[in-house]
Amino acid sequence: MYKVSIVTVNLNNAPGLEKTIKSVVDQTYADIEYIVVDGASMDASSDVIRQHESGISRWISEPDSGVYNAMNKGIELSTGDYLLFLNSGDLLRTETVIEELIPYLGLNDIVYGDLLVVTSEEQYLKEYPDELKFSYFFHESLPHPATFIKRSTFNVVGLYNEKNKIVSDWEFFLLGLVKHGLSYAHVPKCVSTFQFDGLSSKPGNIGLQVSEREKILKKEFPLLIQDYELLSQIQKNYAGIKKSRVVKLLRAIGFLRSIRLDLF
């Protein structure tokens, strides 16, 4: 049996925080350590925390320098064998999901499931690959709200890089899996619901996300940065081809039925 530390970071999102807390305290698995890190919210977040204090192991409410600083505080407060980051607004899919994932823990450093992504317009299940490659991290990452991270990995990789604004979770997985060779396993089960309204989802932050990722790749994997830039250009060109009227017409008449246009 493993103790699972669930860390929730919150800032001025009392309604989302209450939903997140409820999804955690309703879990059937007994050995959960629940930690809430609030960034000195000005709304009713502290009241929500106090209302559910009996189901929370530890909580703090104090100013922080950003989301990754808050997450690092959660790591330092936690004592579990594995950590799961479920930020305010995100939900565990069922009351039994932690209990169902426990048998998959222990053999691997990182264990990740799938994610139900909810936007203002739609919701869809995002399924993640069983096998991870370096190229996967060019434009993708693992689902933080559905990934169990063994505590010992933070001694290997380090805490989250607080200099980044958006991509430090991506950086952690990239360095842990590619550079340090952490073991991993994918469980084909929807673990959490992710509200796609955070920092990385805002259109104005896409450029920042790209620049932060490129900076990390240049620093950690300088010999591969040209491959990254080439693949990025190919993907942009390919996306344009897929959207062209000619391709749509050929697909409509069945001409492209045997040709894969979903390589990227």
Side-chain angles (χ1 to χ4, degrees), residues 3-5 80-84 105-109 148-150:
K3 177 192 283 189
V4 175
S5 295
D81 301 298
Y82 281 82
L83 282 82
L84 176 70
L105 305 184
L107 296 178
N108 292 282
D109 299 313
F148 296 78
I149 305 170
K150 185 179 285 187

Side-chain angles (χ1 to χ4, degrees), residues 102-119:
I102 291 298
Y104 298 94
L105 305 184
L107 296 178
N108 292 282
D109 299 313
I110 294 176
V111 177
Y112 57 98
D114 298 326
L115 204 61
L116 182 67
V117 179
V118 178
T119 73

Side-chain angles (χ1 to χ4, degrees), residues 28-127:
T28 57
Y29 187 65
D31 203 0
I32 292 177
E33 175 185 58
Y34 190 30
I35 296 168
V36 178
V37 180
D38 178 68
S41 294
M42 301 300 292
D43 64 356
S45 293
S46 292
D47 294 333
V48 169
I49 294 171
R50 291 188 179 94
Q51 290 170 9
H52 299 278
E53 201 164 11
S54 61
I56 299 173
S57 306
R58 300 179 186 180
W59 69 278
I60 58 173
S61 182
E62 62 185 32
D64 56 60
S65 60
V67 62
Y68 295 115
N69 178 234
M71 291 168 69
N72 284 339
K73 290 181 181 181
I75 296 170
E76 293 169 347
L77 289 171
S78 67
T79 62
D81 301 298
Y82 281 82
L83 282 82
L84 176 70
F85 293 90
L86 193 73
N87 291 341
S88 61
D90 300 334
L91 310 173
L92 294 170
R93 283 293 293 154
T94 67
E95 296 178 357
T96 61
V97 69
I98 298 296
E99 185 174 354
E100 293 169 4
L101 268 290
I102 291 298
Y104 298 94
L105 305 184
L107 296 178
N108 292 282
D109 299 313
I110 294 176
V111 177
Y112 57 98
D114 298 326
L115 204 61
L116 182 67
V117 179
V118 178
T119 73
S120 59
E121 300 176 351
E122 62 175 345
Q123 65 178 34
Y124 58 91
L125 179 64
K126 185 169 178 58
E127 297 176 300

Side-chain angles (χ1 to χ4, degrees), residues 158-253:
L159 298 178
Y160 292 108
N161 184 353
E162 296 180 15
K163 294 180 180 180
N164 297 323
K165 299 296 184 182
I166 297 179
V167 303
S168 288
D169 47 339
W170 170 86
E171 180 183 19
F172 177 86
F173 291 133
L174 174 71
L175 298 183
L177 294 165
V178 177
K179 190 171 183 177
H180 296 285
L182 298 180
S183 60
Y184 67 90
H186 172 232
V187 180
K189 177 183 291 292
C190 185
V191 175
S192 304
T193 298
F194 173 65
Q195 299 292 331
F196 194 66
D197 57 3
L199 281 174
S200 61
S201 65
K202 295 179 179 179
N205 286 334
I206 294 177
L208 176 61
Q209 182 184 66
V210 171
S211 65
E212 286 189 345
R213 286 187 175 187
E214 289 184 351
K215 183 177 179 180
I216 293 166
L217 287 170
K218 288 178 180 178
K219 175 185 176 183
E220 300 292 343
F221 307 98
L223 295 180
L224 294 172
I225 190 63
Q226 289 186 340
D227 296 323
Y228 168 76
E229 293 172 346
L230 177 60
L231 181 59
S232 296
Q233 188 59 51
I234 291 174
Q235 287 179 317
K236 290 179 182 179
N237 294 340
Y238 195 76
I241 293 173
K242 288 176 68 175
K243 294 178 182 179
S244 71
R245 294 179 62 184
V246 174
V247 168
K248 289 180 179 179
L249 176 61
L250 292 175
R251 180 182 283 122
I253 64 176

